[in-house]
Amino acid sequence: MDAQDGTGCEGTPIELPHCRAKPDCARLEPVRAAALVARYGQPVPRYTSYPTAAQFTGATGPAEHAAWLAALPPAEPVSLYLHVPFCDQLCWYCGCHTSVVHRRGPIEDYVATLTREIGLVAEALPARLAAGAVHFGGGTPNLLAPGDLAAVVEALRRHFTLSPDTAFAAELDPRLLTEAWITTACGLGLNRASLGVQDLDPQVQAAINRRQPFSMVAWSVEHLRRAGVGSINLDLMYGLPHQTTKGLLSTIDQVAALRPERIALFGYAHVPWMKPAQRLIPDHALPGPVGRLEQQREAAARLQDLGYVRIGLDHFAWPDDALAEVAAAGRLRRNFQGYTEDAAETVIGFGASAISHLPAGYAQNHAGVPAWRERILAGDLPTARGLAVGAADRLRGAVIERLMCDFAVDLRRLCALHDTSVPALVSGTMRARLEEFARDGLVRLFASGTGPDSLDGIAVTETGRSFVRSVCAVFDRHLVPAPERHAAAV
């Protein structure tokens, strides 16, 4: 194939699973950066699913959810996600479904209801399914007492087949982590942990209501490793109030000394109209769009200089880590938990607000704990909304996932696998939009000829990497521009 309309990074061919650019490619002149942000930095979805949760409706309820569960292939392993919607303190940047609790009663009641939900879902399944992965998210999963955690895991083992090879992960708050919790969790099978760090600058921490010295992070990493957790991820953020590029790089250097297997670098999404706690963060303290882009790109370059492989938009891992290996092989996946090496086609969600991704579509539980509990106590699945997914959306979802994971997509191959053609997928308007990206050096278009229907594939350049969500949006047939619904592209 011949590349048209734009230049790639070091001549990267479309076949490569990701751009192998040197970190120096990350630097952009301020004037060019400002122009690109103005043109392509508008709010767009994060594309952890397609269609996105913004398209979910109440037309999908417990009956549809139950039918989709019953139709799952009995021999295929699934992934299990359990949402814990409680925190000891609210971080003002947080966009998750969570609330602050200081009493054991609400947590114990939640755990009892959660174990009942696990049983209800199991009743709808065609057989006892194997779980290839278990993920506790939140909120703060380690707010559960050790006995609470044991009760939930016991319910999972009662209804699903978990093996020593099951990936068992939890998102943890170092400020609340105890040796007793670590011992219990590892005894139950915990082998992966993700610790929230965000930034180590005291001024930034005060501005987001998360005071957490480096010593807490170091203690957590040391004790998790000592207990046998073999894979540790640290979450960082850019775009926070009072955050500077220099300060972010200092945080990276400090946490890298702990040698975590993975580091995630997320962009803070400032949506105070959706998350009231974010109103406590003054707008003037936030870096502007160009400042955010600089933080993202300089941080990525530093992590690569330290030996991490850049994976997808915002993950970094050691070259011998499983995430880096599947990325290099073109098998990286993306779901509601972010980038993953998990190949399961089905994710079953438990808990308030949890989303299940099934072959037939998406099903989301009631977000509020009272409504979620009420449905379960009545003997129903607590499904509030969702969306059936047809062939056209499966193809578009596949295109978007490959762009998000590989920064390249072979359109002809994917269209053939989905029994359609590139012209049926890419309209003239879409092609024109892609050519705009190409003229600005953000993508390379590959074509076997010169005709309007000759588009074979797309490769995102290193410059375009920061704007990949905007490239994906070209293929989103549901997207309606709504600044109040999505975060900025960079």
Side-chain angles (χ1 to χ4, degrees):
M1 293 183 290
D2 296 323
Q4 298 180 342
D5 302 316
T7 58
C9 182
E10 298 186 352
T12 305
I14 192 172
E15 293 91 335
L16 290 182
H18 55 79
C19 180
R20 302 183 186 280
K22 296 177 181 178
D24 287 347
C25 291
R27 276 78 183 191
L28 278 178
E29 290 297 323
V31 173
R32 176 159 163 73
L36 292 176
V37 169
R39 197 169 302 149
Y40 302 109
Q42 290 77 21
V44 288
R46 291 187 181 273
Y47 293 115
T48 52
S49 72
Y50 185 80
T52 69
Q55 275 71 56
F56 294 179
T57 73
T60 296
E64 290 77 15
H65 189 184
W68 296 348
L69 289 168
L72 291 176
E76 291 188 10
V78 298
S79 292
L80 308 177
Y81 172 78
L82 300 102
H83 189 71
V84 180
F86 302 120
C87 291
D88 182 67
Q89 177 180 304
L90 188 62
C91 301
W92 294 341
Y93 65 83
C94 184
C96 301
H97 288 288
T98 188
S99 61
V100 174
V101 296
H102 296 300
R103 297 181 296 110
R104 298 304 314 166
I107 299 175
E108 292 170 354
D109 183 67
Y110 186 84
V111 167
T113 309
L114 187 62
T115 59
R116 293 185 67 161
E117 183 188 6
I118 293 170
L120 285 173
V121 169
E123 289 175 6
L125 295 173
R128 180 187 179 92
L129 303 182
V134 174
H135 188 107
F136 280 80
T140 307
N142 57 306
L143 197 58
L144 299 181
D148 295 334
L149 181 66
V152 176
V153 174
E154 172 56 31
L156 293 177
R157 293 189 185 280
R158 196 159 54 243
H159 298 289
F160 295 88
T161 299
L162 277 63
S163 75
D165 294 329
T166 298
F168 184 168
E171 300 168 13
L172 306 175
D173 185 341
R175 298 171 299 173
L176 301 176
L177 199 56
T178 66
E179 196 160 359
W181 197 95
I182 293 173
T183 300
T184 297
C186 290
L188 294 168
L190 182 74
N191 48 37
R192 299 184 180 188
S194 182
L195 302 173
V197 178
Q198 320 320 339
D199 191 286
L200 293 173
D201 186 308
Q203 183 182 21
V204 175
Q205 291 185 351
I208 61 176
N209 198 37
R210 188 186 179 99
R211 292 172 173 82
Q212 179 179 299
F214 174 73
S215 59
M216 283 184 177
V217 181
W219 183 95
S220 298
V221 170
E222 177 188 354
H223 283 74
L224 285 165
R225 289 205 189 285
R226 189 182 299 171
V229 175
S231 179
I232 293 177
N233 171 76
L234 301 182
D235 284 345
L236 305 180
M237 296 187 81
Y238 67 89
L240 293 171
H242 303 297
Q243 193 176 42
T244 65
T245 300
K246 181 179 179 181
L248 177 56
L249 296 181
S250 175
T251 290
I252 288 173
D253 289 342
Q254 291 179 75
V255 301
L258 302 175
R259 296 191 62 80
E261 283 71 21
R262 302 176 186 180
I263 292 177
L265 178 67
F266 301 117
Y268 166 57
H270 191 57
V271 286
W273 53 90
M274 294 176 61
K275 296 296 177 180
Q278 293 187 355
R279 296 172 190 163
L280 298 170
I281 296 177
D283 291 351
H284 68 79
L286 297 169
V290 175
R292 285 174 60 95
L293 180 61
E294 178 190 76
Q295 288 180 7
Q296 180 204 54
R297 298 177 79 86
E298 292 294 333
R302 176 62 59 86
L303 285 163
Q304 289 173 289
D305 287 342
L306 290 168
Y308 286 92
V309 175
R310 190 174 186 183
I311 296 167
L313 182 62
D314 46 28
H315 281 49
F316 301 81
W318 291 123
D320 60 352
D321 183 85
L323 199 66
E325 291 176 348
V326 297
R331 300 196 310 271
L332 186 67
R333 302 297 305 275
R334 185 164 173 83
N335 62 25
F336 287 106
Q337 282 75 63
Y339 290 105
T340 178
E341 70 271 28
D342 183 9
E345 295 295 331
T346 297
V347 178
I348 300 177
F350 301 97
S353 80
I355 299 174
S356 294
H357 179 195
L358 308 164
Y362 297 96
Q364 182 173 24
N365 287 348
H366 284 278
V369 172
W372 167 80
R373 180 191 301 114
E374 179 183 358
R375 299 317 310 151
I376 293 171
L377 295 182
D380 297 328
L381 293 177
T383 315
R385 62 188 195 131
L387 186 70
V389 178
D393 282 336
R394 288 194 186 94
L395 171 57
R396 290 172 182 270
V399 171
I400 288 171
E401 185 176 37
R402 291 329 329 141
L403 284 170
M404 290 295 297
C405 292
D406 302 338
F407 296 92
V409 59
D410 187 331
L411 293 176
R412 290 208 178 276
R413 176 179 173 275
L414 274 185
C415 286
L417 289 173
H418 288 259
D419 196 27
T420 188
S421 65
V422 174
L425 169 68
V426 182
S427 67
T429 301
M430 293 167 62
R431 175 69 182 260
R433 181 62 171 158
L434 290 171
E435 289 173 350
E436 288 179 20
F437 281 95
R439 283 193 292 273
D440 278 325
L442 304 186
V443 303
R444 300 172 71 206
L445 303 182
F446 292 80
S448 54
T450 58
D453 299 337
S454 64
L455 183 62
D456 291 328
I458 305 166
V460 178
T461 68
E462 181 64 18
T463 299
R465 189 167 193 146
S466 300
F467 302 91
V468 66
R469 289 164 53 207
S470 295
V471 179
C472 292
V474 173
F475 292 89
D476 188 344
R477 70 188 182 107
H478 301 286
L479 182 62
V480 175
E484 73 282 356
R485 176 172 287 176
H486 304 298
V490 178

